[in-house]
């Protein structure tokens, strides 16, 4: 059972601090994920209240479309870097083998990033 809907300013100070820390650690995290995180802690807060809170605290908000674009751009840069690394170590002529090596690099990077992902209770 959720508590009655409140404004973010009515949240306990430690929850507000955690919320700001979560935002700082994951700046591209959509507002809906923050709302889900708060719901997981038993607080029902409106999207508008959350946006006002971040605005008052001077936290820049990106549109969800811009966040997705940034994630896609980052993924593309990561793929390009892996292909460049593969090209440096591969001595053959087969493009398929080169791509396979790049994909292995990418898999390794993604496996090592697990500790930096958004906590499960914060994701949608």
């Amino acid at each position: 059972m959720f508590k009655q809907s409140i404004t973010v300013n009515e949240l306990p100070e430690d929850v507000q601090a955690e919320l700001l820390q979560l935002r700082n650690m994951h700046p591209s995290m959509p507002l809906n994920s923050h709302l889900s995180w708060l719901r997981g802690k038993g607080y029902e807060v409106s999207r508008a209240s959350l946006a006002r809170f971040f605005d008052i605290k001077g936290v820049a908000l990106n549109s969800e479309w811009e966040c997705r674009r940034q994630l896609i751009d980052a993924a593309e840069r990561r793929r390009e870097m892996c292909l460049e690394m593969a090209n440096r170590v591969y001595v053959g002529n087969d493009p398929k083998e080169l791509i396979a090596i790049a994909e292995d690099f990418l898999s390794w990077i993604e496996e090592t990033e697990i500790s930096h992902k958004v906590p499960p209770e914060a994701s949608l």
Side-chain angles (χ1 to χ4, degrees):
M1 192 88 157
F2 292 116
K3 296 180 181 179
Q4 183 178 1
S5 183
I6 59 174
T7 66
V8 177
N9 292 330
E10 294 174 299
L11 292 171
E13 287 184 22
D14 61 325
V15 175
Q16 289 182 32
E18 278 185 78
L19 184 60
L20 287 170
Q21 183 181 19
L22 182 64
R23 184 66 186 184
N24 288 331
M25 289 173 54
H26 307 285
S28 61
M29 188 170 148
L31 282 179
N32 287 341
S33 294
H34 289 288
L35 292 172
S36 295
W37 179 82
L38 286 167
R39 278 189 210 107
K41 293 192 162 288
Y43 300 103
E44 185 67 32
V45 175
S46 75
R47 202 175 148 88
S49 175
L50 183 59
R52 279 192 304 273
F53 173 77
F54 284 140
D55 185 47
I56 289 167
K57 297 294 184 179
V59 176
L61 293 177
N62 298 328
S63 70
E64 290 192 28
W65 170 251
E66 185 176 342
C67 291
R68 286 187 185 115
R69 184 185 53 77
Q70 289 173 354
L71 290 173
I72 290 169
D73 289 348
E76 280 300 313
R77 283 192 305 275
R78 189 178 301 135
R79 281 188 201 100
E80 288 173 6
M81 289 175 18
C82 288
L83 191 56
E84 287 176 17
M85 288 188 315
N87 192 41
R88 290 179 184 169
V89 298
Y90 180 61
V91 291
N93 310 358
D94 186 355
K96 289 180 182 179
E97 286 180 9
L98 178 65
I99 291 171
I101 293 170
E103 288 173 350
D104 287 344
F105 283 145
L106 186 59
S107 294
W108 179 81
I109 290 170
E110 289 171 349
E111 288 172 11
T112 59
E113 285 183 333
I114 290 173
S115 64
H116 300 290
K117 298 231 182 246
V118 176
E121 67 273 6
S123 61
L124 288 176

